[in-house]
Amino acid sequence: MTFLGTDRIEVVRFTDGDVVRYATLGMSAHPMTDPTAVLADPVQGPRAELVLSVRGGLVDTDKVLRPLAVLAASPQVEGLVVAPGASLDVGEPLWPGAPFTSVLVAEPGGLVEDLDLDAPMDPVQFLPLLPMTPNEAAWKRVHGAGALQERWLSRGTDLRDPTRGSVALDQG
């Protein structure tokens, strides 16, 4: 997909057993730049691609291609630096009927190792995306990404389930 004023962003789909993975290609073509910087460094700076993993066959998640391309274009379009702990919101369901309108950017290195580039370029990080319901996103804004991830873990939340509801967010 191409957005006005940006380079092409592709989203590829891989199947691994019952898990479908969507990965962006093109977001890392340029380093992400702090929007407050006077000049953008064309060589150095963080580079990343996004990876979303969901259980296949439950709903039609292939409609997530455009929202993922939009998120991957956000550093070029909006001057965002996408980093672990960040929330990214598309303002609509990630796919038709999805209970998720945003994602939490998780730590890299678990699923796909960083891709080293020639010096002085920073390596490309592959950032996992964890779908969030609007309630989870609001709770994360108040309590932080770590607290939400701990809540998911303590409740045994299957973050790959494309039909899951919001985790219990009460204080109990």
Side-chain angles (χ1 to χ4, degrees):
M1 295 186 181
T2 307
F3 302 95
L4 187 60
T6 68
D7 292 336
R8 182 176 177 84
I9 301 287
E10 295 184 40
V11 180
V12 293
R13 178 184 190 265
F14 300 94
T15 303
D16 182 13
D18 70 337
V19 175
V20 179
R21 298 188 203 290
Y22 300 93
T24 63
L25 298 173
M27 180 177 167
S28 62
H30 304 284
M32 294 180 277
T33 304
D34 182 343
T36 62
V38 177
L39 291 173
D41 188 322
V43 177
Q44 291 183 303
R47 295 173 188 262
E49 296 293 346
L50 307 175
V51 179
L52 174 70
S53 300
V54 294
R55 298 222 181 279
L58 300 175
V59 295
D60 182 12
T61 56
D62 281 350
K63 300 293 185 192
V64 77
L65 301 178
R66 181 165 176 70
L68 281 178
V70 168
L71 294 177
S74 63
Q76 290 182 53
V77 174
E78 299 175 29
L80 295 177
V81 175
V82 178
S87 298
L88 303 174
D89 194 318
V90 295
E92 61 185 37
L94 292 176
W95 52 83
F100 317 107
T101 59
S102 62
V103 293
L104 175 65
V105 180
E107 292 291 331
L111 183 61
V112 182
E113 292 183 23
D114 292 354
L115 174 64
D116 290 327
L117 301 175
D118 293 336
M121 293 185 285
D122 290 1
V124 176
Q125 294 185 314
F126 294 87
L127 301 172
L129 301 179
L130 308 174
M132 292 189 295
T133 66
N135 286 343
E136 291 168 338
W139 199 86
K140 181 251 176 202
R141 282 190 294 276
V142 173
H143 299 282
L148 178 58
Q149 288 177 304
E150 179 56 38
R151 181 63 50 121
W152 282 333
L153 185 61
S154 69
R155 301 290 201 275
T157 305
D158 180 1
L159 296 173
R160 293 181 180 165
D161 181 352
T163 63
R164 75 169 180 85
S166 186
V167 69
L169 298 172
D170 57 352
Q171 295 303 322

